[in-house]
Amino acid sequence: MGEHSEAVETLRWNNGRLEMIDQRVLPARFEYLAYTDAAEMAEGIRSMVVRGAPAIGVAAAYGVALEAIKWRSTSSGEFSRKLTLACEVLAASRPTAVNLFWALKRMQGVWEQHASRPVVEIADALLAEAHEVLAEDIRINRRMGAHGAALLKDGARVLTHCNAGALATAGHGTALGVIRSAVEAGKKISVIADETRPFLQGARLTAWEMVQEKIPVTLITDNMSGYLMSQGEVDAVVVGTDRVAANGDVVNKIGTYMVAVLSKRHGIPFYVACPLSTIDLSIPEGAAIPIEERPASEVTGFRDCQWAAQGVAIRNPAFDVTPAELVTALITEKGLVNQPNRQKIAALFNS
Ligand code: MRU
């Protein structure tokens, strides 16, 4: 499959607007929403129309490009003010996935590089860069997929948590990209998808992606994985990540840590599909990564249905930290980092 013929186009440029699949309503409805400036895009990220670390990065890049296009006929001073504000608004949309900040930095680099040019040319350069961020993400996912597929034996039953699929990226996916690549290589792979409370990325999104592609998938609630592992029904775990610290600690969707601990207990390999853009060398260890706390309403119910007792206190951390010692390997576009640690991660960036 070529890079522009992905089955699921999570984000697509259409007629001067960025269209994104509305992931809040999947799988009941499959529809695109259109975005025309940075403020709208920031709201799309915050409200999780688009989610998943790499997809958030691509969306942020387009947010900057859209804002640049919107102000392409203005003075250079006004253009700079609008773009600076746009970057601030986008940066405030969600705190944990580092790809958001990585993409903004990359777009700011292009802006600086073209700073002496007419505003209209800066806007063109920013749009071209956003297109490149999207295309590059798919290329990277395919490279990670090839490295990771080799780890899965024919017939493997692979558990995954949250959605690290095409919907969480520009296409192919990170963790689900590994599974897709293994299937493309002719292996029989079946997927066990954790439901992933409270936003149900597993039940709604991973299950949908796998059903679309006829990759066998079984849905379980988050409290069932330990039992399945104890019964010998899980051969490997592959998850994605929102940010990896310099020492290899992995931040991913809430519940990932439990799965990693259980994997260790049962001797099951725990793999993390991780593009280099998700590694944050400025953060020494996982405990320093900001963890988003989301609205209580996500825990007390779902959509219009509220089931929790009125007045109960709620916690809703959206991510947790899996210590590096529980990670069998990071799967990156440059290859595997087995039993990641600070030295191996530093070496990855120097190779
Ligand atoms: O809150 P979300 O849905 O944005 O969280 C997504 C995850 O935790 C994914 O596992 C992670 O971003 C990796 S996506 C390739």
Side-chain angles (χ1 to χ4, degrees):
M1 206 182 275
E3 67 180 40
H4 294 298
S5 57
E6 296 296 320
V8 178
E9 271 189 300
T10 305
L11 312 99
R12 66 181 185 202
W13 184 251
N14 189 10
N15 212 9
R17 306 182 315 172
L18 201 262
E19 295 179 341
M20 305 196 294
I21 297 173
D22 186 351
Q23 300 194 32
R24 299 165 307 176
V25 299
L26 268 175
R29 298 205 306 276
F30 180 87
E31 55 193 41
Y32 282 90
L33 297 177
Y35 291 81
T36 59
D37 66 22
E40 284 178 9
M41 189 59 85
E43 181 54 22
I45 295 170
R46 194 202 56 74
S47 65
M48 292 174 69
V49 168
V50 67
R51 31 67 50 200
I56 291 172
V58 176
Y62 275 105
V64 175
L66 284 166
E67 194 72 16
I69 292 165
K70 185 172 172 181
W71 301 104
R72 63 188 294 151
S73 305
T74 193
S75 69
S76 154
E78 183 67 353
F79 182 81
S80 292
R81 274 191 294 281
K82 295 292 184 189
L83 237 56
T84 303
L85 193 63
C87 290
E88 284 167 13
V89 168
L90 286 160
S93 58
R94 288 191 79 189
T96 303
V98 74
N99 306 60
L100 171 68
F101 309 100
W102 169 90
L104 292 176
K105 200 169 158 196
R106 181 161 162 171
M107 297 301 277
Q108 278 160 339
V110 170
W111 177 17
E112 277 160 27
Q113 201 187 318
H114 293 80
S116 59
R117 302 254 184 94
V119 163
V120 65
E121 287 182 26
I122 304 177
D124 287 346
L126 288 170
L127 180 59
E129 190 68 9
H131 290 329
E132 178 52 22
V133 170
L134 183 146
E136 186 184 280
D137 185 58
I138 299 172
R139 288 196 297 270
I140 287 170
N141 292 340
R142 291 204 155 267
R143 264 183 252 139
M144 273 190 301
H147 291 302
L151 298 168
L152 303 180
K153 64 176 179 17
D154 192 20
R157 297 155 299 176
V158 183
L159 184 138
T160 191
H161 190 75
C162 193
N163 172 267
L167 288 166
T169 63
H172 197 64
T174 61
L176 294 189
V178 168
I179 288 164
R180 283 193 169 94
S181 293
V183 170
E184 283 172 13
K187 292 180 184 175
K188 268 197 165 43
I189 304 289
S190 56
V191 176
I192 299 162
D194 277 353
E195 174 185 45
T196 318
R197 281 270 291 141
F199 205 69
L200 306 181
Q201 289 94 330
R204 298 188 302 105
L205 308 177
T206 295
W208 179 81
E209 281 194 36
M210 296 293 94
V211 168
Q212 294 294 304
E213 285 183 44
K214 300 189 169 45
I215 296 175
V217 57
T218 302
L219 177 65
I220 59 171
T221 61
D222 299 332
N223 47 2
M224 295 176 185
S225 52
Y227 175 70
L228 261 60
M229 288 181 184
S230 75
Q231 298 299 299
E233 293 184 38
V234 179
D235 299 305
V237 174
V238 187
V239 296
T241 170
D242 294 85
R243 199 184 302 214
V244 170
N247 71 342
D249 289 350
V250 169
V251 162
N252 191 46
K253 179 52 53 192
I254 192 77
T256 303
Y257 172 51
M258 290 192 317
V259 176
V261 171
L262 284 164
S263 301
K264 188 76 162 182
R265 168 83 173 93
H266 294 285
I268 296 165
F270 180 88
Y271 299 117
V272 179
C274 167
L276 263 58
S277 58
T278 306
I279 300 176
D280 186 350
L281 294 178
S282 76
I283 299 259
E285 55 188 29
I289 296 176
I291 301 291
E292 177 182 15
E293 189 90 23
R294 292 195 56 86
S297 58
E298 289 180 356
V299 175
T300 53
F302 190 69
R303 297 192 179 137
D304 292 336
C305 176
Q306 299 296 311
W307 51 67
Q310 287 290 346
V312 66
I314 301 293
R315 285 293 314 276
N316 187 13
F319 301 95
D320 61 24
V321 185
T322 296
E325 66 186 82
L326 298 179
V327 177
T328 308
L330 297 178
I331 303 165
T332 80
E333 64 268 39
K334 280 193 175 177
L336 303 183
V337 183
N338 291 307
Q339 286 148 340
N341 61 27
R342 200 176 298 281
Q343 291 71 31
K344 291 181 191 174
I345 289 184
L348 185 67
F349 282 88
N350 296 326
S351 63

